Amino acid sequence: MGTTGTPTNITQGSKTKGGIGESTLRPDGTLKVTGEFAYSSDMWHEDMLWGQILRSTVAHAEIVSIDTSEALAQPGVYAVMTYDDLPTEVKNYGLEIQDTPVLAHGKVRHHGEPVAIVAADHPETARRAAAKIKVEYKELPVITDEASATAPDAILIHEGRDDHHIGHVPHPNIVHRQPIIRGNVEEAAKKADFIVKGEYTFGMQDQAFLGPESGLAVPSEDGGVELYIATQWLHSDLKQIAPVLGLPEDKVRMTLSGVGGAFGGREDLSMQIHACLLALRTGKPVKIVYNRFESFFGHVHRHPAKLSYEHGATKDGKLTHLKARIVLDGGAYASASPAVVGNASSLGAGPYVVDNVDIEAIALYTNNPPCGAMRGFGAVQACFAYEAQMDKLADAVGMDRVAFRQLNAMEQGTIMPTGQAVDSPAPVAELLRRVKAMPLPPEQQWLAAGEAADVRQLPGGLSNTTHGEGVVRGVGYAVGIKNVGFSEGFDDYSTAKVRMEVVGGEPVATVHTAMAEVGQGGVTVHAQIARTELGVTHVTIHPADTQVGSAGSTSASRQTYVTGGAVKNSCELVREKVLELGRRKFGTYHPAWATAELLLEGGKVVTDGGEVLADLADVLEGEAVEVEAEWRHRPTEPFDLRTGQGFGHVQYTFAAHRAVVEVDTELGLVKVIELACAQDVGKALNPLSVIGQIQGGTTQGLGVAVMEEIIVDPKTAKVRNPSFTDYLIPTILDTPTIPVDVLELADDHAPYGLRGIGEAPTLSSTPAVLAAIRNATGLELNRTPVRPEHLTGTA
Amino acid sequence: MRVNFTVNGRQQEADDVWEGESLLYVLRERLGLPGSKNACEQGECGSCTVRLDGVPVCSCLVAAGQVEGREVVTVEGLADFAKQRAEHGGCATGACGTPGGSGTSLDEAKQWAAKGHDSQTGEGGELSSIQQAFIDAGAVQCGFCTPGLLVAADEMLERTPNPTDADIREALSGNLCRCTGYEKIMDAVRLAAARQSEAV
C-alpha cells in the first residue's frame, strides 16, 4: 500500500493472528451482506405504533394557534402532542447550549422545525393525521445573513440568552466569536512583496447518510423507556433525553441499533425524544422513521461560510502574514457552532508556517437551517479558502504551486497561530511530494478503449453531450490540516469494559463499549486491539449500550484514538490481572513467572524470549477477569477569548490531494478523472479500513466541489431541494479512481502511534478539485460547489 | 387487499395491504424481510433494489398490487438465488434478465427457496460470490446501500460476466453509497467477476 514503515510503540507483540496492522474483515460483514443486520429503521415490536412529526412550513413566525382536534379524531391515531404536553420544565435540548425546543413554543425559527408529534397504527395514518393539525402562523421577517443578523434593529433569534458565549459576542445573533492573534500583521504586511486577497463562499453541504433518522422507543414496566437508536454518541443523547422525559438516566436504557452512516449528522438529537414521549404517553412501543425529505430537515448541515482572506509573501516565496475573517452561518440553533468556530479559526491558516496572523471566526444565528457537525468540522471551509489563496500567491510570486506550498509547509516543531507547538510528525511537504509523484492518468482517456470515444468517460457522460470537443484538462493540488479529538479543554474520555474467560475450552475476550459503530469499522479495530493485547483469537464485541460508561462521540476522527485507546488500556489492565492469576496458579512451576517480562500470545502466556509458560485456558479455568476503565488522552486547554492562544488540540492530521479534471467548457460540465490522496495515518491499525475512510472522505469533498448544496431561498429561508432528486451526491459514475498513498509516521503521544484519519481527506479534496477546474478554465471560481453556469459565464 | 407473490422462491400472501403501500413496505413491514432498505423513497438511491421477474427495480416505486403473481428476489434470497443459477447454467428461474418474464411457471420458480441466515450470527448459508467479494474487498462500511448494490451487481454479472470498469460504473450508477467512495465496491465487483470466471 505504499507505506513507509516506522517503529511504533506496540506494547505487546503482534504475533497473534488478526491483531493490529492486519486488514481483518468486519465482524458485521456477513450480517450486512445478507440483509440480516438490524438498522434502527428495521426495529419491530408487537403492537408497535408509528410516530410522525409535523414540521413548520415557514422559517420564522409566531405560532398563533395549534388545533389538534381533527388529527386526534382520526381512526388509528393514539396520541397527538404539542409543547403543552411536555411533561417537565425541561423543554429544550442541545449539545452545548440547550436552545433547541423539543417542540416549538410560541415561535418557529427555521423551516421544518418540529411543532407537533403524532402516534398512529400505520405510518400513513400518522402522516395524514399530522397533516390535519392546524397551525396558524404570523410570519416574521427572516434573518438570512450577517447583515440582517447584526443590523441594529434585527429581531433576536433567541431572546434573553444566558449561555457562556453571550458575554464575548458583539451581537446576540452571533453564537460565538473566536479571534486568533499572533505576531504583528500590520508590520508584517509592510514586508510583503505580494499581497493576495480573496472572498470565498462555501455552500451548505448535507451529510446525506443513507440510513435516515429512525428508532424504536419501548416503554418499560418500571416507568422507564428503552430506546433502540442510531446515533453517534449514546451518552450525550441520554443526557439530553432524560431530563425532558423527567426520568433518571438509569431509566432511559439506550442500545445502539444499526447505523446507516453519520458523518456528523447524528451528533444532535433528531427523533429520540419524540419517540420516547409518544411511547410513554401511549404505553406502546413507538417507531419513527424519517423519509429522505424529512431527513433533510431532521439534522443539522455543514455550515455555509463566507471567508475573506489576505495573505502576503516575500519575493522569495515566504509567507509574511495572514488576515482572515470567517463567517459561518449556524442557522436557528447553536448545535455545534461554538466548536466549529474554534476549529475554523484555529486551523484557519492551514498547514503553513505563518508567524503573523489575525483571524476572526464567528457563527451567526439566522433563520436558515441549523448547522453543526459534519466531517471536517470548520476546517473544511477554511481549507477551501487558504488553498485557493496559496495558488494565487504562488502565481503572484512566480513559483510552482506545489513548491510554494512545500516552501511554507509546517513541520514538527512549527508553532501554530494559537501558540501551540506541533509536537508530532507533520509531513506536509512530503505528502505533497508523494501525491505529485503519482503517475498522471493518460490524456484523452476516453479513447482508451478504441477509436470511438467512450462517452461514459467524458463530461456529460451518457447524456452524450461531447465526444471530446471543447474538453480541457486541469490539474490541481491541495493540502489540509485537521485536529483529532474534542478540543479546547473538553474532557474527551472513553470507557471500555474488557472481560476474559474460557468458553468451550478456549480463552475468549469480550469488549464492551458504548462506541457508536456508524460504518467506520471501530468494531473491527477493537477486536484487533484485544487480539494483540490479550493474545486470543476469539473476541466478542458486545453491543454498544448505556450499561457501560461513555465512549464519547464517533466524530472528530477520535474513536480509534480514544475508544481504541480505552480498549487497549483496559486490555492491559486485564492482562496484568491474568498474569497475577497465572502467577498464583502456576508461579511455582517456572522461575520465569517471577523474573521475566511476560506476554500473552497465541492463547498462551509466554516470556519475552518466547518460552511458553501456560495455556491461557488453564490460567483462566474457573475464573473470569473483567475491567471497566476510563481512558483519557492528554488534556487540552481553551483558546484565550481575545487572542486565541492555547494548547487547544490533541493531535493534528494531514492529507494532500491531486485532482485531475476534464471540463466541457461549452456546457460547463466537469468530470473528475482522478483524485489521488496521500495521508499520514501514524499507524494503520486496519489498512483496508484506512483506505476506505480516505476514499470515502475524498468523495464527500468531491461532492461539495461540483454538485452538493442545500439551496435556501434568501427571501423566505425555505429549503428548496430536500430530496436526492435535487440534492445530488456523487454516484459511482461521478466518482473517479482514488489512488491512496499511506504514510505511517508514529505520533508518540497516541496509542500505537496512530493518527485519527476520517476527516482529513474531506478537507483537501474540495480545493484540489476547484484548483483543477481553475487550471482547466482559467476562471477564478471563488465559490463551491461549482455549477455549470459558473463555468459558462451564464450565472 | 391481499397480494400473492413469490419472494425468494417461496409463495407469500400479504393481507390487509393498503393500496398505497409499496412493494418495499410490504417486504419490510409485512413479510419480515427488512434487508431491502428505504433511503429515499423516490427511486434515486437504489437501496431498495430487488429483482422483479428477474429485472432489477426500486421496490419503493413498485406498488404492492403490481407484484400480484410475480417473482421477487431480495438480498435475503440472493445467496440461494445465485447458487440455483450456478446449478442451472446461469439462470435461477428461467426468467433472468428478460423483462416481462419468459413464461416461468410457478413450479419452476419453486424449484429454489432461500434458506436464510441466522439473524444473530449471519451464519447458516453460503454467501454468493458477490456477497463474499463485498466483505473481502472492504466494500461494506455502514452497509445501508449494500443490499441494493448486491442485487444490482449480481444482476449485472449475470448479464455481463466479464465487465469493464465502465460497464460496472454504468450498471451501478443507480445505487448511491455515501461511505466508500465506490473504489472498494469496484474492487468487489471485479473480484467477484474474476472468481466466477475462474470457477467456470
Side-chain angles (χ1 to χ4, degrees):
Chain A
M1 65 190 273
T3 59
T4 301
T6 51
T8 52
N9 54 337
I10 296 165
T11 56
Q12 138 100 24
S14 50
K15 290 176 189 162
T16 307
K17 200 171 170 315
I20 63 159
E22 286 184 39
S23 289
T24 59
L25 301 176
R26 301 185 64 94
D28 55 11
T30 301
L31 290 175
K32 284 181 173 177
V33 299
T34 54
E36 301 286 350
F37 187 77
Y39 294 88
S40 54
S41 50
D42 301 334
M43 297 290 122
W44 186 90
H45 200 288
E46 205 164 342
D47 283 341
M48 170 181 95
L49 302 177
W50 292 79
Q52 177 67 39
I53 294 134
L54 176 73
R55 294 173 179 274
S56 66
T57 53
V58 293
H60 200 198
E62 286 171 15
I63 297 175
V64 178
S65 64
I66 305 177
D67 179 1
T68 61
S69 54
E70 204 180 329
L72 264 171
Q74 297 296 306
V77 170
Y78 282 73
V80 179
M81 297 175 78
T82 67
Y83 173 88
D84 293 334
D85 300 301
L86 295 177
T88 74
E89 287 311 302
V90 181
K91 298 172 195 297
N92 284 356
Y93 67 90
L95 288 172
E96 180 189 325
I97 301 171
Q98 286 70 51
D99 65 355
T100 313
V102 173
L103 291 167
H105 177 219
K107 198 176 179 184
V108 293
R109 297 180 177 85
H110 69 90
H111 182 204
E113 182 161 348
V115 175
I117 49 178
V118 177
D121 58 7
H122 190 285
E124 189 57 26
T125 308
R127 251 173 242 153
R128 290 178 179 195
K132 292 196 181 298
I133 299 170
K134 293 191 187 72
V135 185
E136 191 185 337
Y137 295 107
K138 184 184 165 201
E139 288 201 54
L140 298 167
V142 289
I143 289 169
T144 57
D145 57 13
E146 186 180 15
S148 55
T150 58
D153 60 343
I155 298 177
L156 300 187
I157 303 283
H158 295 278
E159 301 267 3
R161 275 179 65 184
D162 59 357
D163 60 82
H164 60 283
H165 297 295
I166 188 67
H168 63 259
V169 291
H171 190 287
N173 281 343
I174 295 176
V175 186
H176 176 44
R177 172 179 180 269
Q178 180 65 62
I180 308 281
I181 315 279
R182 189 161 184 86
N184 187 327
V185 165
E186 305 309 324
E187 284 303 309
K190 292 176 191 163
K191 294 177 190 141
D193 297 307
F194 301 97
I195 288 184
V196 163
K197 297 182 183 183
E199 304 284 327
Y200 303 95
T201 302
F202 201 102
M204 187 187 290
Q205 189 180 16
D206 189 69
Q207 296 83 355
F209 43 73
L210 277 198
E213 293 85 342
S214 49
L216 173 70
V218 184
S220 40
E221 283 180 6
D222 65 357
V225 64
E226 287 167 32
L227 181 61
Y228 299 86
I229 190 69
T231 179
Q232 288 177 236
W233 188 357
L234 287 167
H235 286 78
S236 166
D237 284 11
L238 178 60
K239 269 203 172 66
Q240 297 172 77
I241 296 166
V244 176
L245 303 178
L247 291 172
E249 287 186 7
D250 62 0
K251 284 202 173 181
V252 181
R253 285 168 289 265
M254 298 181 58
T255 303
L256 188 76
S257 298
V259 185
F263 317 117
R266 297 188 211 267
E267 269 193 35
D268 295 75
L269 295 180
S270 57
M271 43 54 67
Q272 284 91 328
I273 297 176
H274 298 148
C276 291
L277 285 169
L278 289 169
L280 292 169
R281 165 64 76 96
T282 61
K284 283 171 169 288
V286 173
K287 172 171 166 171
I288 297 181
V289 182
Y290 291 177
N291 61 17
R292 182 55 53 184
F293 176 88
E294 185 167 22
S295 180
F296 273 97
F297 296 99
H299 60 257
V300 301
H301 313 292
R302 187 192 300 291
H303 290 73
K306 302 267 186 200
L307 309 99
S308 310
Y309 267 68
E310 175 191 311
H311 277 95
T314 60
K315 58 180 183 303
D316 55 358
K318 280 293 211 181
L319 291 173
T320 54
H321 70 285
L322 162 63
K323 214 173 156 175
R325 188 158 186 281
I326 301 170
V327 179
L328 301 151
D329 185 349
Y333 295 104
S335 179
S337 280
V340 172
V341 166
N343 267 14
S345 55
S346 62
L347 303 170
Y352 301 107
V353 179
V354 50
D355 296 328
N356 302 285
V357 172
D358 181 348
I359 301 174
E360 176 194 33
I362 62 170
L364 304 170
Y365 274 128
T366 68
N367 295 116
N368 290 326
C371 288
M374 183 176 171
R375 196 176 198 167
F377 203 84
V380 162
Q381 295 91 331
C383 186
F384 171 67
Y386 61 68
E387 285 302 88
Q389 288 282 103
M390 289 302 122
D391 282 350
K392 287 185 193 172
L393 274 166
D395 294 353
V397 174
M399 279 183 75
D400 172 79
R401 291 173 172 186
V402 171
F404 178 82
R405 285 177 170 83
Q406 289 174 317
L407 178 68
N408 289 289
M410 67 162 54
E411 52 195 14
Q412 186 162 357
T414 294
I415 308 295
M416 294 287 289
T418 57
Q420 181 172 357
V422 177
D423 59 4
S424 71
V428 178
E430 172 65 8
L431 292 173
L432 285 161
R433 186 192 70 75
R434 282 171 176 254
V435 82
K436 191 177 180 184
M438 290 194 210
L440 280 162
E443 298 281 341
Q444 299 197 319
Q445 36 72 37
W446 60 84
L447 291 176
E451 286 306 299
D454 184 344
V455 293
R456 296 174 297 190
Q457 313 276 19
L458 279 158
L462 289 164
S463 304
N464 196 20
T465 49
T466 176
H467 288 194
E469 326 76 78
V471 174
V472 289
R473 173 173 283 203
V475 179
Y477 292 88
V479 59
I481 177 171
K482 176 70 183 57
N483 60 320
V484 173
F486 280 29
S487 299
E488 300 186 55
F490 191 87
D491 184 18
D492 186 30
Y493 71 95
S494 282
T495 315
K497 187 194 278 189
V498 175
R499 181 181 172 90
M500 229 179 151
E501 63 200 314
V502 178
V503 178
E506 293 279 324
V508 174
T510 303
V511 177
H512 185 186
T513 75
M515 177 199 67
E517 170 61 47
V518 304
Q520 81 276 25
V523 289
T524 322
V525 164
H526 288 180
Q528 290 178 268
I529 293 172
R531 288 192 200 101
T532 290
E533 298 300 335
L534 298 174
V536 294
T537 307
H538 299 291
V539 180
T540 303
I541 303 295
H542 191 284
D545 57 30
T546 50
Q547 307 303 307
V548 62
S550 173
S553 183
T554 301
S555 51
S557 306
R558 66 177 285 287
Q559 278 299 20
T560 301
Y561 190 133
V562 191
T563 304
V567 171
K568 176 174 186 278
N569 177 58
S570 291
C571 284
E572 286 164 354
L573 297 171
V574 164
R575 190 169 71 219
E576 283 314 307
K577 289 191 169 199
V578 169
L579 290 174
E580 269 173 47
L581 197 58
R583 284 188 194 100
R584 267 210 319 273
K585 281 191 177 174
F586 304 115
T588 55
Y589 293 94
H590 198 299
W593 280 103
T595 56
E597 184 81 12
L598 301 184
L599 308 172
L600 308 187
E601 276 177 8
K604 297 177 193 315
V605 179
V606 299
T607 68
D608 53 358
E611 191 177 356
V612 176
L613 298 187
D615 264 357
L616 275 173
D618 294 331
V619 174
L620 287 161
E621 185 58 44
E623 311 264 356
V625 175
E626 182 175 286
V627 171
E628 177 175 342
E630 291 176 1
W631 185 81
R632 285 170 168 76
H633 56 65
R634 57 186 172 153
T636 57
E637 58 188 34
F639 297 125
D640 183 274
L641 285 171
R642 286 171 301 108
T643 65
Q645 299 300 294
F647 189 93
H649 296 308
V650 185
Q651 186 186 55
Y652 296 104
T653 180
F654 308 90
H657 279 92
R658 181 190 65 200
V660 180
V661 304
E662 278 160 3
V663 183
D664 179 341
T665 51
E666 291 166 17
L667 292 174
L669 300 174
V670 176
K671 180 153 182 79
V672 181
I673 300 300
E674 189 199 76
L675 202 37
C677 182
Q679 182 168 343
D680 175 27
V681 307
K683 164 77 185 172
L685 263 56
N686 186 306
L688 186 69
S689 301
V690 162
I691 292 175
Q693 283 294 306
I694 293 172
Q695 290 170 334
T698 295
T699 303
Q700 290 182 0
L702 159 69
V704 80
V706 293
M707 61 183 79
E708 293 185 34
E709 185 175 12
I710 292 183
I711 307 290
V712 182
D713 186 332
K715 291 196 184 70
T716 61
K718 288 170 80 163
V719 177
R720 294 171 57 178
N721 57 341
S723 76
F724 277 166
T725 306
D726 298 310
Y727 183 94
L728 301 181
I729 67 173
T731 69
I732 198 167
L733 278 173
D734 302 312
T735 307
T737 54
I738 306 170
V740 176
D741 189 355
V742 173
L743 189 61
E744 294 182 277
L745 301 179
D747 175 357
D748 291 339
H749 305 282
Y752 305 115
L754 72 84
R755 210 172 275 286
I757 55 157
E759 292 173 286
T762 310
L763 271 61
S764 43
S765 169
T766 311
V769 172
L770 263 287
I773 301 172
R774 290 185 195 111
N775 181 238
T777 61
L779 297 168
E780 194 170 355
L781 303 175
N782 286 334
R783 93 179 300 280
T784 201
V786 174
R787 290 196 289 264
E789 58 266 35
H790 302 135
L791 299 176
T792 54
T794 49
Chain B
M1 62 180 179
R2 171 179 293 178
V3 184
N4 294 288
F5 62 119
T6 306
V7 184
N8 299 331
R10 287 183 187 167
Q11 187 61 37
Q12 297 280 2
E13 186 177 286
D15 278 323
D16 301 323
V17 175
W18 169 64
E19 288 77 355
E21 285 176 14
S22 63
L23 169 59
L24 177 62
Y25 185 90
V26 170
L27 290 170
R28 289 178 53 80
E29 307 297 339
R30 298 197 181 276
L31 300 181
L33 293 169
S36 307
K37 296 298 172 226
N38 182 354
C40 80
E41 226 171 334
Q42 56 182 175
E44 294 287 355
C45 74
S47 305
C48 64
T49 303
V50 301
R51 294 185 64 172
L52 180 59
D53 289 346
V55 181
V57 295
C58 287
S59 60
C60 73
L61 294 186
V62 176
Q66 285 179 277
V67 302
E68 176 70 30
R70 300 173 77 179
E71 288 168 40
V72 172
V73 178
T74 72
V75 69
E76 287 95 340
L78 191 63
D80 288 313
F81 179 78
K83 191 176 176 194
Q84 191 73 14
R85 176 176 56 210
E87 288 166 4
H88 291 79
C91 185
T93 65
C96 297
T98 48
S102 57
T104 312
S105 75
L106 198 57
D107 284 343
E108 279 175 303
K110 276 181 186 163
Q111 285 173 4
W112 75 286
K115 291 174 194 70
H117 293 77
D118 183 279
S119 63
Q120 295 301 310
T121 63
E123 288 164 4
E126 282 172 42
L127 298 177
S128 67
S129 58
I130 191 68
Q131 287 170 314
Q132 191 61 50
F134 263 59
I135 296 175
D136 295 345
V140 179
Q141 287 189 28
C142 92
F144 209 80
C145 69
T146 304
L149 270 161
L150 289 169
V151 172
D154 181 72
E155 190 272 343
M156 194 252 323
L157 289 173
E158 184 179 290
R159 276 186 289 119
T160 316
N162 297 301
T164 63
D165 284 1
D167 292 336
I168 301 172
R169 290 187 191 276
E170 186 179 341
L172 302 184
S173 61
N175 293 77
L176 296 176
C177 168
R178 190 56 159 169
C179 294
T180 64
Y182 302 104
E183 283 285 81
K184 302 293 179 200
I185 292 169
M186 293 294 296
D187 288 347
V189 179
R190 292 181 198 120
L191 179 63
R195 284 177 177 168
Q196 279 183 4
S197 61
E198 261 175 35
V200 172

